[in-house]
């Protein structure tokens, strides 16, 4: 990761902190070491290479020798025998420290396989014939989008292979939307290791060419049926520069400080988030990231029943991160971070402008109008750290926002192109919305699992479920007005499995019972559960078996270095997850210890006609709000801007 933009200090770029992501040179070293020591040749693919982040102890002793050691973890597999391995590589010593066989595991899908598979299939005569039967003869307009399988749905004859299933799409014109026209009932099944077609499922019955509806699936200005409306220019100007500083990967703004990381799977990672309170650095979070995203399509028809994407575990938010453009994606005075990852040969693959850092005006922070003094008002400003991910047809835009009053907001916007398919004359399937002529968009859900390793004023924290309760009408409460709050400590991992409860307005406070504010109450942060929804899945559903995490809104575990992936390390072709549901069977104590919260939120996507042909952003978020972390409003010292806002 390198830095560009206004805020980076060129003098400090390149200084290595133990949490800095691997550099292009370090990725090259990893593949060179594995080539030399393990004979990795062109038969092998790399699924992932990432920094082995130092554990908490090592970080605390960051002045010591251990903290400066650089280590990487690589997952790779041999395409000939399909066997996967995890390598621990010491960059400091130039050696392989550990080489572990991973029998029966399929590492994540790679971008290279996605492209190679599309090319291979479009060159295959049987795909061409199937398309010709449907009137599509220009293969340059076709796209085959390969998806990962869940083990339960893999035909018996292909068990154990690294297989994928494909959807076929075509553009209406060379510049047209690649996902505008779905080819119904045509699904190639592929062996990704041999990169060959195993079979084509083709339900074409008769003349399918006449069957395709006329749809308007375009969004480019030249292709839409209307002209463009007028808007006047809007400029954001910070003539004296920004209020944040970016020193290497260390970001500081308005009492906040944190380190920015990036990897193939989580994309952006926020490390060691702290609030500087009257000169004291007070930890809030050790590490914040997205650990999984599960997207089951809720349509049992032949075209959609396999559509259960694990966008993080199967594909990787980092791998799917796209470059941001000034003035288009981020407006104003922007600092960018570049990222670097690897391709499936282990070669560095840079992503220019991967992460955007900027300040935004956010209307009012606080205000009061007094009849003597008049109005006293402060404008709110927030620091936004964002990255954009394109997963085939869909975009996810991730925004972490830090506020002057200690709030943290995590927002996700989904946009891009809906999966649609058409249906014959007659009734449309009941599990989607009609969006165009004989074209429907299946209902689906996006479950995002945020991994929140909070350290509220230190690692020893307890999570409390906090609920409101109306007391019954009694002599002391004659009007039934009394409202009390019940705080229930979650003591074990079984307690830590929590669901949202509307009737009690349940939320969760992460409290350090060992540290009190000046009011004498323990300091805490509250997870405000917005954007959550129930799984609505039968217990026997294969996707629930692979992603038990989505059955609850919140899980709490004691911190363990190896517990990172809630649906298991390798969800690709998984049968049952080996993540949160398994770890929490131990029912470990989560009281007064270093806890990790796994918050499940996202979009229950009941598709709309307005989501077609390109979807305006659907926005969800959750908040972490200080609750007794400060003694009073911590933003009293925010100055009036401009000064005339002060009477
Ligand atoms: Cu959606």
């Amino acid at each position: 990761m390198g830095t560009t933009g206004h805020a980076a200090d060129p003098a400090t770029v390149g200084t290595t902190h133990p949490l800095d992501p691997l550099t292009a040179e370090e990725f090259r070293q990893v593949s060179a070491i594995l080539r030399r020591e393990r004979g990795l040749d062109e038969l092998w693919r790399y699924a992932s290479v990432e920094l082995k982040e130092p554990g908490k102890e090592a970080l605390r002793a960051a002045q010591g020798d251990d903290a400066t050691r650089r280590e990487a973890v690589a997952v790779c597999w041999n395409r000939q025998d399909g066997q996967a391995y995890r390598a621990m590589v010491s960059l400091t010593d130039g050696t392989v420290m550990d080489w572990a066989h991973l029998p029966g595991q399929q590492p994540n899908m790679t971008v290279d396989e996605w492209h190679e598979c599309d090319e291979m299939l479009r060159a295959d005569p049987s795909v061409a014939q199937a398309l010709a039967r449907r009137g599509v003869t220009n293969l340059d307009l076709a796209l085959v989008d390969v998806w990962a399988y869940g083990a339960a749905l893999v035909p018996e004859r292909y068990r154990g292979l690294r297989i994928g299933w494909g959807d076929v799409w075509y553009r209406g014109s060379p510049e047209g939307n690649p996902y505008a026209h779905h080819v119904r009932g045509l699904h190639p099944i592929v062996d990704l290791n041999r990169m060959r077609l195993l079979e084509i499922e083709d339900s074409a019955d008769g003349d399918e060419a006449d069957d395709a509806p006329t749809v308007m699936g375009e969004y480019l200005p030249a292709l839409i049926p209307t002209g463009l409306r007028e808007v006047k220019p809007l400029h954001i100007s910070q003539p004296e520069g920004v209020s944040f500083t970016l020193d290497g990967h260390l970001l500081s703004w308005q009492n906040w400080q944190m380190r920015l990381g990036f990897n193939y799977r989580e994309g952006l990672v926020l490390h060691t988030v702290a609030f500087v309170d009257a000169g004291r650095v007070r930890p809030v979070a050790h590490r914040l990231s997205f650990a999984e995203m599960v997207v089951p399509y809720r349509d049992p028809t032949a075209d959609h029943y396999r559509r259960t994407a694990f966008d993080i575990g199967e594909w990787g938010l980092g791998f799917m991160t796209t470059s941001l453009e000034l003035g288009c994606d981020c407006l104003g005075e922007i600092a960018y971070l570049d990222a670097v990852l690897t391709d499936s040969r282990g070669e560095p693959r840079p992503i220019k402008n991967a992460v955007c850092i900027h300040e935004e005006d956010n209307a009012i922070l606080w205000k009061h109008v007094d009849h003597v003094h008049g109005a006293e008002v402060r404008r709110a400003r927030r620091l936004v750290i964002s990255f954009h991910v394109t997963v085939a047809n869909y975009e996810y835009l991730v925004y972490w926002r830090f506020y002057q009053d200690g709030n943290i907001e995590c927002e996700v916007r989904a946009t891009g192109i809906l999966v649609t398919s058409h249906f014959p004359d007659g009734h449309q399937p009941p599990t989607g919305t009609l969006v165009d002529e004989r074209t429907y968009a299946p209902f689906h859900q996006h479950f995002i699992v945020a991994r929140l390793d909070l350290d509220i004023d230190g690692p020893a924290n307890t999570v409390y479920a906090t609920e409101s309760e109306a007391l019954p009408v009694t002599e002391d409460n004659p009007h039934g007005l009394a409202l009390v709050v019940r705080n229930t400590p979650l003591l074990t991992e079984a307690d830590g499995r929590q669901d949202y409860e509307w009737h009690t307005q349940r939320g969760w406070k992460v409290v350090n019972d060992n540290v009190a504010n000046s009011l004498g109450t323990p300091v805490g942060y509250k997870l405000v559960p917005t954007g959550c929804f129930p799984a609505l899945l039968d217990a026997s559903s294969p996707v629930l078996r692979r992603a038990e995490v989505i059955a609850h809104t919140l899980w709490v575990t004691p911190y363990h270095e190896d517990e990172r992936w809630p649906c298991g390390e390798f969800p690709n072709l998984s049968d049952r997850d080996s993540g949160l549901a398994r770890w929490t069977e131990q029912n470990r104590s989560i009281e007064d210890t270093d806890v990790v919260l796994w918050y499940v939120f996202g979009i229950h996507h009941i598709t709309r006609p307005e989501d077609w042909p390109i979807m305006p952003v659907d926005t969800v978020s959750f908040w972490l709000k200080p609750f007794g972390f400060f003694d009073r409003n911590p933003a009293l010292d925010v100055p009036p801007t401009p000064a005339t806002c002060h009477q």
Side-chain angles (χ1 to χ4, degrees):
M1 220 168 178
T3 53
T4 56
H6 306 280
D9 175 359
T12 57
V13 170
T15 312
T16 302
H17 180 274
L19 290 171
D20 286 353
L22 295 178
T23 63
E25 185 47 39
E26 287 175 320
F27 283 123
R28 278 193 205 96
Q29 277 183 47
V30 170
S31 51
I33 292 165
L34 285 168
R35 200 178 310 122
R36 188 179 69 230
E37 293 205 9
R38 287 285 157 182
L40 266 60
D41 56 19
E42 67 282 355
L43 286 176
W44 291 73
R45 274 193 206 270
Y46 286 84
S48 63
V49 184
E50 68 166 339
L51 173 75
K52 170 83 177 89
E53 290 175 20
K56 289 192 177 183
E57 287 305 318
L59 266 184
R60 281 186 202 112
Q63 314 312 325
D65 285 347
D66 274 359
T68 56
R69 295 182 65 80
R70 295 283 281 176
E71 293 169 4
V73 187
V75 172
C76 45
W77 79 98
N78 184 318
R79 275 185 282 178
Q80 209 159 40
D81 62 13
Q83 298 302 304
Y85 299 82
R86 187 193 303 105
M88 297 282 300
V89 175
S90 167
L91 291 160
T92 309
D93 303 333
T95 56
V96 178
M97 301 154 62
D98 191 51
W99 176 254
H101 184 207
L102 305 167
Q105 303 288 3
Q106 285 293 348
N108 54 271
M109 308 283 273
T110 64
V111 178
D112 288 341
E113 287 171 293
W114 192 92
H115 286 295
E116 289 170 29
C117 186
D118 173 45
E119 257 175 50
M120 177 273 288
L121 289 169
R122 283 190 295 120
D124 191 288
S126 55
V127 175
Q129 283 162 19
L131 282 170
R133 276 199 297 279
R134 291 164 167 87
V136 179
T137 50
N138 183 355
L139 285 160
D140 290 339
L141 299 180
L143 164 74
V144 186
D145 189 359
V146 69
W147 288 61
Y149 250 105
L153 305 177
V154 173
E156 190 57 44
R157 58 191 175 282
Y158 300 138
R159 288 281 162 88
L161 296 180
R162 185 173 171 85
I163 75 163
W165 67 277
D167 249 336
V168 188
W169 303 86
Y170 66 94
R171 300 172 198 262
S173 63
E175 296 78 33
N177 172 2
Y179 291 98
H181 306 277
H182 184 233
V183 178
R184 185 160 61 90
L186 184 65
H187 301 288
I189 310 293
V190 293
D191 177 340
L192 291 165
N193 275 343
R194 283 162 194 81
M195 201 46 81
R196 66 183 176 88
L197 179 64
L198 294 168
E199 65 176 90
I200 292 194
E201 294 174 3
D202 187 351
S203 67
D205 42 4
D207 191 357
E208 293 268 340
D210 293 337
D211 181 47
T214 304
V215 302
M216 206 309 279
E218 306 303 340
Y219 56 88
L220 295 185
L223 300 178
I224 60 175
T226 59
L228 299 180
R229 69 178 79 175
E230 264 188 47
V231 284
K232 303 285 189 214
L234 191 157
H235 296 291
I236 308 286
S237 160
Q238 293 185 275
E240 294 172 31
V242 297
S243 303
F244 61 87
T245 59
L246 188 61
D247 178 4
H249 291 80
L250 177 64
L251 178 61
S252 310
W253 175 83
Q254 295 287 295
N255 299 327
W256 285 105
Q257 65 177 46
M258 68 202 75
R259 289 200 158 272
L260 306 182
F262 195 90
N263 66 53
Y264 75 100
R265 190 148 166 171
E266 296 157 293
L268 176 68
V269 178
L270 304 181
H271 296 284
T272 54
V273 177
F275 195 94
V276 183
D277 186 7
R280 193 159 54 103
V281 178
R282 300 180 63 190
V284 173
H286 180 71
R287 197 176 187 282
L288 303 171
S289 70
F290 289 173
E292 192 52 273
M293 172 151 26
V294 185
V295 189
Y297 279 70
R298 305 301 301 269
D299 183 343
T301 62
D303 280 316
H304 303 291
Y305 75 98
R306 282 170 288 211
R307 218 179 285 285
T308 53
F310 288 62
D311 286 329
I312 294 178
E314 286 174 346
W315 292 99
L317 293 189
F319 282 142
M320 304 286 138
T321 294
T322 49
S323 294
L324 300 169
E325 195 156 325
L326 184 62
C328 309
D329 295 303
C330 320
L331 193 59
E333 295 291 317
I334 307 296
Y336 289 108
L337 281 172
D338 299 337
V340 58
L341 297 170
T342 49
D343 63 16
S344 71
R345 292 166 301 137
E347 289 295 313
R349 187 173 70 83
I351 306 171
K352 183 88 182 148
N353 294 356
V355 175
C356 164
I357 301 145
H358 75 298
E359 288 177 288
E360 284 177 356
D361 176 87
N362 187 42
I364 303 304
L365 172 64
W366 55 258
K367 175 175 181 173
H368 184 60
V369 182
D370 177 83
H371 72 277
V372 175
H373 298 290
E376 188 77 16
V377 57
R378 298 295 179 272
R379 290 206 68 82
R381 199 180 286 197
R382 60 191 186 191
L383 178 70
V384 187
I385 308 150
S386 60
F387 70 114
H388 293 183
V389 173
T390 298
V391 188
N393 54 308
Y394 238 79
E395 264 75 14
Y396 298 104
L397 324 178
V398 181
Y399 301 86
W400 288 94
R401 300 202 182 102
F402 292 81
Y403 290 80
Q404 291 157 307
D405 60 359
N407 281 339
I408 302 172
E409 178 192 19
C410 174
E411 181 183 282
V412 176
R413 298 180 174 207
T415 178
I417 319 294
L418 292 177
V419 164
T420 56
S421 53
H422 58 275
F423 53 92
D425 266 334
H427 296 296
Q428 75 162 79
T431 48
T433 300
L434 185 72
V435 298
D436 208 323
E437 181 184 308
R438 284 192 293 108
T439 299
Y440 78 106
F443 305 139
H444 58 278
Q445 297 157 299
H446 307 257
F447 296 93
I448 303 165
V449 185
R451 184 180 181 278
L452 310 171
D453 180 354
L454 299 184
D455 280 8
I456 306 300
D457 263 336
N461 292 168
T462 303
V463 182
Y464 291 76
T466 170
E467 297 177 283
S468 298
E469 183 185 336
L471 296 185
V473 173
T474 59
E475 206 173 295
D476 296 337
N477 182 31
H479 311 298
L481 285 170
L483 182 79
V484 296
V485 169
R486 307 275 183 222
N487 290 307
T488 310
L490 309 179
L491 303 178
T492 65
E493 289 179 300
D495 295 343
R497 285 183 200 145
Q498 292 277 309
D499 297 311
Y500 181 62
E501 177 60 71
W502 187 80
H503 293 96
T504 65
Q505 288 294 293
R506 184 180 293 171
W508 296 279
K509 266 199 290 188
V510 185
V511 168
N512 190 329
D513 282 313
N514 313 296
V515 178
N517 56 34
S518 71
L519 305 166
T521 50
V523 296
Y525 255 77
K526 185 176 179 181
L527 168 58
V528 181
T530 44
C532 55
F533 54 96
L536 291 164
L537 281 164
D538 189 272
S540 67
S541 164
V543 69
L544 191 56
R545 203 178 142 82
R546 298 174 65 205
E548 291 184 55
V549 60
I550 65 176
H552 298 287
T553 314
L554 178 73
W555 302 62
V556 185
T557 56
Y559 170 81
H560 190 287
E561 197 173 340
D562 296 335
E563 295 178 1
R564 294 178 64 193
W565 313 119
C567 298
E569 188 178 358
F570 303 109
N572 187 13
L573 286 159
S574 69
D575 174 43
R576 186 176 186 194
D577 84 52
S578 54
L580 264 173
R582 301 287 83 70
W583 310 330
T584 55
E585 279 170 0
Q586 302 167 76
N587 203 20
R588 295 166 293 188
S589 168
I590 53 171
E591 185 186 13
D592 198 24
T593 190
D594 188 0
V595 290
V596 177
L597 283 74
W598 309 77
Y599 181 62
V600 182
F601 75 113
I603 301 170
H604 183 70
H605 199 164
I606 302 302
T607 47
R608 304 177 301 154
E610 290 84 352
D611 292 340
W612 178 254
I614 188 165
M615 188 177 131
V617 291
D618 203 345
T619 304
V620 290
S621 69
F622 69 90
W623 291 76
L624 295 165
K625 297 191 172 190
F627 199 115
F629 188 77
F630 301 106
D631 300 336
R632 59 177 65 83
N633 179 351
L636 286 180
D637 61 347
V638 171
T641 50
T644 50
C645 297
H646 167 66
Q647 297 299 312

